[in-house]
């Protein structure tokens, strides 16, 4: 009897410690996925200087983004069918291979191809992190770890540009890729040693047709948002052709999923009102967040004269408030089991924050812009992890991977649309404002200048002031669009149904009223998070 008691006590001691070790490995993997683009951004001028191929520069980012977005749902489905651990470890290995090859690239064509390989692995990193957390930790307890995930995001956004600049200056741009290797090796070793999830072997085959159609739909959509208004006019044959391909492939994908035995994105998960609403809200969060991250440093560098070197630090008010609020919301969710108020509060703060940022002009101080960023960050903090938490709580355990990948995909697509549409509006507004104030010729001369403060200081005062006014007008239009989109998220949040989180009731099971809609409770015989948690300790 004593031995049994001791074993039970030992098991209870091992579980939390094992969970912490696995979470540390997962956070390293999450950091890898988020840090990469932030580091590479600051290294790009040096890379172009050595490899050439300036005309293909955008593809270094686009290839990575496309591969990540297209592979995200497929990784989620593979994890559901064949086991989460194997899929996650494979994605880490592919990401590290892509990183090593990118560091060895000898020309721009090779770099673009190797970045696509890296993106394929990155698609499985974020999904793997979210799905494994969904397997190990019941939703009621998951709120405790929201601050950790928000902290990793803030670290990537703040530290990425600083680390990228330092590595490029002192070690060479190739180490911007090689730095992933030791971090990835640590994550790989920790996950292999500590994570022991129940093995799976699905009888069905992967839905290759659905995966191909979904990849085509995502690729055409991302290319429309990437090229529209920049490489090609919105009304050009190329963009209209991509839109047609996107619409047709999406329709074909939806039809194929109704016929597939093991659909890559099961449409039944969208029968849950909460899951559908979280997908919509996640899309809008991505729209606001990525647009804000892009245009806030631009405004502060061009209008407020801040240094480009510290561009990551300029986002500190937004990222710190996002991390703090996410931590508080997670703790409250864990202790109370209530969460509906957070999407509503987040939606309201996101609208207010975007609207206030739209009011910035050439006279706005850094203090005031910091306050506005803090409000937007608080809104994002209420929404970032809650959307994933509720989405995962709205499906059966067998669909945890596709739920996580779908939520991640919608946020990624939202970011792509946000950057594209806000960028198009920004560019149009800057061009028109410059032409109105200086005339087409002077506007063209100023438009060819770099956006950093040092280059702007060399311009004649009249042109510099006009340019700063134009940038302020452009950011006004971009953030006003963001505020309008955020209103949709605020409205959607009111329709969220507060279904008890799994693990909130007796014996860790949600009440029957939640399970009846598929919004709570594990699949029969699945064992849910408790079984996975138990396996972790073995």
């Amino acid at each position: 009897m004593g031995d049994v008691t001791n074993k039970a006590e030992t098991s209870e001691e091992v579980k939390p410690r094992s969970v912490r070790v696995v979470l540390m490995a997962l956070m390293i993997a999450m950091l890898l996925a988020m840090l990469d683009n932030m580091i590479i951004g600051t290294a790009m001028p040096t890379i172009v200087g050595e490899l050439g191929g300036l005309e293909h520069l955008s593809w270094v980012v686009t290839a990575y983004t496309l591969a990540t977005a297209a592979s995200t749902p497929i990784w989620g489905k593979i994890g559901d069918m064949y086991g989460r651990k194997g899929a996650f470890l494979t994605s880490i290995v592919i990401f590290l291979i892509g990183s090593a090859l990118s560091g060895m690239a000898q020309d721009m064509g090779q770099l673009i191809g190797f970045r696509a390989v890296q993106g394929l692995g990155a698609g499985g990193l974020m999904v793997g992190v979210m799905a494994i957390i969904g397997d190990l930790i019941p939703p009621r307890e998951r709120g405790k770890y929201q601050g950790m995930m928000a902290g990793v995001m803030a670290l990537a956004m703040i530290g990425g540009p600083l680390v990228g600049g330092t590595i490029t200056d002192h070690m060479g741009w190739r180490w911007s890729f090689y730095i992933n290797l030791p971090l990835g090796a640590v994550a790989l070793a920790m996950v292999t040693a500590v994570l022991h999830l129940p093995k799976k072997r699905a009888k069905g085959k992967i839905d290759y047709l659905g995966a191909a159609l979904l990849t085509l739909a995502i690729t055409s959509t991302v290319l429309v948002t990437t090229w529209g208004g920049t490489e090609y006019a919105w009304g050009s044959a190329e963009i209209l052709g991509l839109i047609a391909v996107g619409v047709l492939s999406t329709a074909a994908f939806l039809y194929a999923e109704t016929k597939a035995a093991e659909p890559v994105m099961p449409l039944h998960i969208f029968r849950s009102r909460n899951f559908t609403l979280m997908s919509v809200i996640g899309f809008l969060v991505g729209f606001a967040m990525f647009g804000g991250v892009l245009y806030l440093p631009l405004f502060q560098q061009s209008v407020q004269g801040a240094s480009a070197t510290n561009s990551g630090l300029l986002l500190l008010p937004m990222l710190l408030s996002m991390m703090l609020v996410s931590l508080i919301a997670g703790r409250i969710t864990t202790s109370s089991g209530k969460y509906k108020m957070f999407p509503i509060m987040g939606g309201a703060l996101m609208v207010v924050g975007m609207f206030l940022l739209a009011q910035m002009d050439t006279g706005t101080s850094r203090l005031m812009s910091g306050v506005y960023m803090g409000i937007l960050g608080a809104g994002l903090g209420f929404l970032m992890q809650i959307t994933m938490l509720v989405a995962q709580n709205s499906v059966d355990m067998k669909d945890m991977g596709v739920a996580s990948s779908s939520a991640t995909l919608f946020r990624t697509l939202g970011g792509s649309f946000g950057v594209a549409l806000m960028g198009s509006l920004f560019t149009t507004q800057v061009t028109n404002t410059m032409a109105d104030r200086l005339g087409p010729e002077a506007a063209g001369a100023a438009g060819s200048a770099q956006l950093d403060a040092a280059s702007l200081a060399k311009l004649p005062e009249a042109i510099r002031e006009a340019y700063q006014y134009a940038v302020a007008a452009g950011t006004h239009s971009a953030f006003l669009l963001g505020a309008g989109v955020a209103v949709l998220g605020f409205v959607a949040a009111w329709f969220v149904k507060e279904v008890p989180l799994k693990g909130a009731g007796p014996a860790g099971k949600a009440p029957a009223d939640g399970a009846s809609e598929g919004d709570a409770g594990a699949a029969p015989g699945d064992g849910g998070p408790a079984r996975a948690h138990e396996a972790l300790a073995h």
Side-chain angles (χ1 to χ4, degrees), residues 26 40 151 153 210 213 239 247 267 299 312 322 361 377 410 432 460 465 488 511-512 516 521 526 530:
L26 295 179
I40 301 308
M153 183 176 297
L213 290 171
I239 296 300
V247 171
L267 301 184
F299 175 86
M322 183 175 72
D361 56 28
F410 281 112
N432 292 341
E465 290 180 355
L488 300 177
S516 64
D526 197 343

Side-chain angles (χ1 to χ4, degrees), residues 488-504:
L488 300 177
F490 175 66
V491 172
W494 285 95
F495 293 93
V496 173
K497 180 181 179 181
E498 189 148 55
V499 175
L501 295 173
K502 300 171 193 174

